Amino acid sequence: MAETVVEVAEPPALVLKGYEGKPLVDLDTYRAVGGYAQLERARAMSPHDVTQEIIDSNLRGRGGAFFPTGRKASFIPTPDKVAKPIYITVNADESEPGTFKDREIMLKVPHRLLEGCLIAAHAIQSKHVFIYIRGEYSEEYEVLSKALAEARKAKLLGNVKLTMHRGAGAYICGEETALLESLEGKRGQPRSKPPFPAIQGLYASPTLINNVESITNMPIVLEIGPHEYAQIGAPPDSTGTRLFCLSGNVERPGVYEAPHGITTRHLIYDIGGGVPNGRDLKAVMMGGSSFPVMTPDELDTKLDANSLGQRGLFIGSGVVCVLDDRTCIVQFALRVAQFYMHESCGKCTPCRVGTRWLVQILRAVEDGTATENDLEVLLDVCDRIIGKCLCVLGDSAAMPVASCVTKFRDEFKQHLAQGGCPFGADSSLANLFAPVDQHAHAGAPA
Amino acid sequence: MIEEIRKIAKEYPSSKSAVLPALRLAQERYGWLPRAAFEEVGEALDLTPAYCMSIASFYDLFHLEPAGTHMIEVCTNVCCGLVNAQAVLEAFERELGIRVGETTSDTTVTLRAVECLGGCSTPTIVAVDHRYRQSVTPDDVPAIVAELRSG
C-alpha cells in the first residue's frame, strides 16, 4: 500500500524543517534539528514581545480563514485584566474535504506542534492548552500522545497543562465556536458571535483557537526571525509557506511544502507531474470543497490569498484537488452538496433546509428532470443561504455549487437538453454513494 | 467504567467535557451504545441518560444500533471518488453480501460509507477498525474481508 508523499517541494522548509523523509517523532531527533530551543528563547522574552514577533511575521491562519495569527493572540486580555483562566485550543479537527496536512504534521513533526503550543501559551499567558483532534485520527492521536508524554517527562511543559481531546465525527466541529461547544460536552453547534472566543470562549473564558499548521509555524517564526519570515512567500499578506494538499486526478499527489505565490500550474504540472493518462484538466477544487472551483484559464493564478482573491477564489486549507475531463461537474456539485447536507448541524434554517434543496435540484439536473428555471432556483437558493447563518457551513455548500452553475452553465444545460447526464457512466464520479443516503436505508437517525 | 470515566473527567475544568471520551469508552466496551451505556456515562458525569444520548446522536462515530465486531468505512468524498471509491465500496458490498450501512447476518462486519477521512493523496482510503488502509483498490477487498473473518 502506497505511503503518503510528504515533501518540501520548494525551499525554504519551514513547517517540515529538518524532516527529510524521516519523521521527527522522538524528542532527541527533534532536538537534534534545534527543537525546543525557541521555546526556551520565548520563555526568556516577555509575553508581549513573543506576540509582537508573531504579529511582525504576518503569519496567518492556515485553517481556512487566513486571519492574522498574531493579531488574534493580541485580542486575548492579559491575566491582570480578567479574573478567569485563559485557554488555548488547537484545532486539529481536520475535516475539510481534500485536506490532509495537519495529519501529516502530527505524524511527522509532532514536537514542533507541541513547541508551538507552549510558545503560544507563553505569549498569552495561558496555563491550559487543549488539542481537539479529529475522532477518526487514531494513529495521529497515538503519535502525538507519545510525543506529549516525552515532552512532559523532559519537563518541557513547565506550568502548562496540555490535554488531548478526541472528537467523534462531526465536520462542523472544525468551526471554532462549534469546537468549543463540543469541548464543553455539548452538541457541536456554532454559537452566535460576538462575543468572540478571545473574550468569551471555552467555559466563557478568553480562548485562543489556532489551526495545527498555524501554531506549528510559531517556533519557525522565532527561529528565523519575524522580519525574515515576512519576506518569504508572497508578502506582505501571504507570508511563509503552505503545506499544499495535492490530490485527485494528478500523477503525484501528496503534501508539498512550498512558499505562498507559486502558481497553480507549477504545483499541478511540475511538482505533481500533471494529469495522468494524457487527460485534460477540467477544474480544480481550490482551497477545499467549501469554495468556488477554479477553471483551466485560471491555472496561472498564484497560490496566495490576494492573487486568488482577485478571481473570487480562496486558498482555504491549501487544497488543490484536480478534476480531469471525465468528471461530470453536476455530479461533482451534487456530491459536494450532499456532504454539506450531511454535515449541517441543523441550527440555522437556511443551511439546514437550503442544503437539502441544493441536493434535490442538483439530483434533478443530473437525472435530466429539471428545467432551465431550476438553474435560477438553484442560484437563488445559494443566495438565500450565503451570509444568513451563524457560521459559514451553509456558505460552504452554496459557493462551490453557485460557481459550478456559473462557470459550467453549458454543461448544466446539456443535462437538461439531453434529459440526463451526457457522461453517462463514464464520469469518474458516476453513481458515487454519499453517506447522507446511508441513514435513509439503514434506519439510523439522520 | 464509572470510576474510569470520573478519572478522565478530572482532566477538565468541567466534568461535562468528558462526555465524548466517556461515550467512546462505553462504545469500546459494548460495541455500540445501548441504553445501559447512557445510564453509566450519565451516572459517572452527573448527566441524564437522555442528555448523553442527545450527544451521541450528533456525532457520526457513535453507533445507536448494534454494530458488527469489525467496522469497514469507505471514504466516498470527492478526492477518493475521483479515483474509484465507488468501485471499492461496491466490491465490499459484493464480498460481504450486504448493502452499505448494513451489518452481516453473523454480526462480523458493518460496512459504512463515510465522508472525507483526510487521506486524499492515497485514494481510496478505507478505515478498517479505525485504522487507515491507503490506496485500496477493488482487488484488495477479498483479502481485507478474509482477514476480518478469520480474526
Side-chain angles (χ1 to χ4, degrees):
Chain A
M1 265 176 261
E3 283 289 305
T4 305
V5 173
V6 181
E7 278 177 20
V8 178
E10 307 253 320
L14 301 183
V15 171
L16 294 177
K17 187 168 179 287
Y19 164 80
E20 275 144 15
K22 228 177 134 219
L24 301 171
V25 288
D26 301 323
L27 183 56
D28 289 344
T29 50
Y30 182 57
R31 279 201 198 271
V33 298
Y36 289 106
Q38 298 310 313
L39 173 63
E40 205 176 312
R41 231 193 95 225
R43 282 177 173 161
M45 293 162 66
S46 76
H48 174 270
D49 288 350
V50 176
T51 304
Q52 192 59 46
E53 294 220 349
I54 305 299
I55 292 174
D56 292 343
S57 73
N58 205 12
L59 170 65
R60 295 196 181 201
R62 306 297 200 239
F66 211 58
F67 193 83
T69 306
R71 246 178 72 209
K72 204 186 208 179
S74 73
F75 295 155
I76 305 283
T78 50
D80 56 307
K81 299 259 173 30
V82 56
K84 291 175 177 173
I86 293 166
Y87 296 112
I88 293 182
T89 306
V90 180
N91 188 343
D93 193 41
E94 179 172 67
S95 320
E96 176 70 22
T99 314
F100 48 103
K101 63 181 177 74
D102 293 341
R103 199 181 144 219
E104 294 303 334
I105 289 173
M106 292 185 270
L107 291 173
K108 305 296 194 292
V109 287
H111 281 290
R112 185 163 288 143
L113 167 61
L114 296 177
E115 185 178 9
C117 292
L118 296 170
I119 290 171
H122 179 70
I124 66 160
Q125 303 180 68
S126 167
K127 296 201 168 29
H128 200 162
V129 178
F130 292 89
I131 299 181
Y132 188 107
I133 181 168
R134 182 171 180 182
E136 287 87 343
Y137 283 179
S138 304
E139 195 189 345
E140 296 73 11
Y141 174 77
E142 286 156 15
V143 170
L144 193 56
S145 296
K146 197 165 162 272
L148 174 60
E150 261 191 308
R152 193 174 276 143
K153 200 169 161 220
K155 304 207 182 308
L156 289 162
L157 268 59
N159 60 358
V160 177
K161 183 172 178 177
L162 209 153
T163 304
M164 300 263 293
H165 185 86
R166 304 183 75 179
Y171 168 76
I172 188 61
C173 292
E175 196 279 337
E176 59 179 14
T177 61
L179 184 150
L180 296 176
E181 288 286 294
S182 179
L183 189 45
E184 288 183 6
K186 303 173 193 161
R187 293 164 73 91
Q189 295 188 307
R191 300 173 179 172
S192 78
K193 291 188 276 195
F196 290 92
I199 308 302
Q200 273 186 51
L202 189 61
Y203 312 117
S205 298
T207 305
L208 178 69
I209 307 170
N210 282 136
N211 165 263
V212 166
E213 187 181 347
S214 317
I215 218 155
T216 306
N217 266 284
M218 289 187 188
I220 298 294
V221 168
L222 267 59
E223 184 178 337
I224 64 176
H227 300 289
E228 188 66 29
Y229 187 98
Q231 298 303 312
I232 299 166
D237 291 324
S238 300
T239 62
T241 60
R242 272 283 170 155
L243 296 192
F244 290 108
C245 304
L246 185 62
S247 70
N249 301 126
V250 64
E251 201 66 58
R252 288 194 300 274
V255 173
Y256 294 103
E257 180 166 24
H260 279 116
I262 63 166
T263 69
T264 317
R265 187 185 301 280
H266 180 56
L267 177 64
I268 294 172
Y269 288 90
D270 302 331
I271 296 169
V275 185
N277 309 316
R279 307 221 56 117
D280 289 328
L281 182 147
K282 177 169 182 168
V284 178
M285 188 172 93
M286 183 74 232
S289 70
S290 297
F291 305 105
V293 293
M294 177 187 260
T295 45
D297 57 306
E298 297 173 315
L299 278 177
D300 290 311
T301 312
K302 288 178 177 174
L303 292 166
D304 63 70
N306 291 345
S307 303
L308 288 163
Q310 280 163 16
R311 293 183 172 276
L313 299 166
F314 296 84
I315 197 158
S317 49
V319 171
V320 177
C321 173
V322 180
L323 279 59
D324 75 17
D325 56 359
R326 289 170 303 169
T327 320
C328 166
I329 209 74
V330 176
Q331 290 173 6
F332 169 76
L334 172 62
R335 186 63 189 84
V336 168
Q338 286 172 318
F339 169 73
Y340 292 98
M341 175 179 161
H342 186 252
E343 302 299 335
S344 174
C345 81
K347 188 167 182 173
C348 309
T349 309
C351 171
R352 182 184 66 245
V353 179
T355 50
R356 278 155 179 77
W357 272 79
L358 295 180
V359 168
Q360 281 175 29
I361 300 169
L362 286 163
R363 171 68 72 197
V365 174
E366 172 62 11
D367 293 345
T369 58
T371 64
E372 200 155 339
N373 184 52
D374 286 329
L375 299 187
E376 302 316 315
V377 176
L378 197 52
L379 290 173
D380 188 52
V381 171
C382 292
D383 203 38
R384 284 162 197 268
I385 298 173
I386 293 173
K388 298 183 176 63
C389 304
L390 287 183
C391 85
V392 294
L393 188 140
D395 301 26
S396 302
M399 285 200 297
V401 169
S403 78
C404 287
V405 178
T406 312
K407 292 181 171 182
F408 293 91
R409 191 178 270 268
D410 286 348
E411 194 173 318
F412 277 75
K413 283 163 92 170
Q414 216 183 332
H415 279 75
L416 308 180
Q418 278 184 228
C421 183
F423 292 84
D426 294 335
S427 166
S428 41
L429 297 177
N431 304 314
L432 185 59
F433 184 84
V436 74
D437 290 330
Q438 186 163 243
H439 300 300
H441 76 76
Chain B
M1 192 164 73
I2 288 174
E3 282 317 304
E4 229 172 309
I5 293 171
R6 285 184 179 149
K7 203 176 145 213
I8 295 169
K10 290 205 174 81
E11 186 70 20
Y12 299 92
S14 156
S15 65
K16 198 183 202 176
S17 286
V19 69
L20 285 191
L23 289 169
R24 180 183 279 268
L25 189 70
Q27 183 160 285
E28 279 166 13
R29 294 291 152 82
Y30 289 97
W32 64 294
L33 291 173
R35 184 174 170 89
F38 297 127
E39 282 168 1
E40 282 175 79
V41 170
E43 191 188 329
L45 299 176
D46 200 19
L47 301 166
T48 64
Y51 180 82
C52 298
M53 192 178 175
S54 80
I55 299 303
S57 68
F58 187 83
Y59 296 92
D60 211 41
L61 287 183
F62 296 127
H63 306 301
L64 304 180
E65 292 176 20
T69 319
H70 298 289
M71 184 66 64
I72 296 177
E73 293 166 307
V74 181
C75 170
T76 66
N77 203 292
V78 171
C79 307
C80 284
L82 287 167
V83 194
N84 231 4
Q86 184 60 28
V88 173
L89 183 67
E90 287 171 13
F92 275 113
E93 288 186 320
R94 271 196 309 277
E95 194 67 24
L96 293 164
I98 54 171
R99 287 183 67 197
V100 58
E102 295 177 343
T103 301
T104 54
S105 55
D106 64 355
T107 72
T108 317
V109 182
T110 296
L111 175 66
R112 304 206 309 156
V114 291
E115 292 296 3
C116 183
L117 285 172
C120 320
S121 70
T122 52
T124 294
I125 296 287
V126 178
V128 178
D129 293 335
H130 311 293
R131 299 280 153 176
Y132 288 10
R133 308 281 176 106
Q134 298 178 296
S135 306
V136 175
T137 68
D139 290 345
D140 299 325
V141 166
I144 293 173
V145 171
E147 179 192 323
L148 295 183
R149 287 209 158 124
S150 68

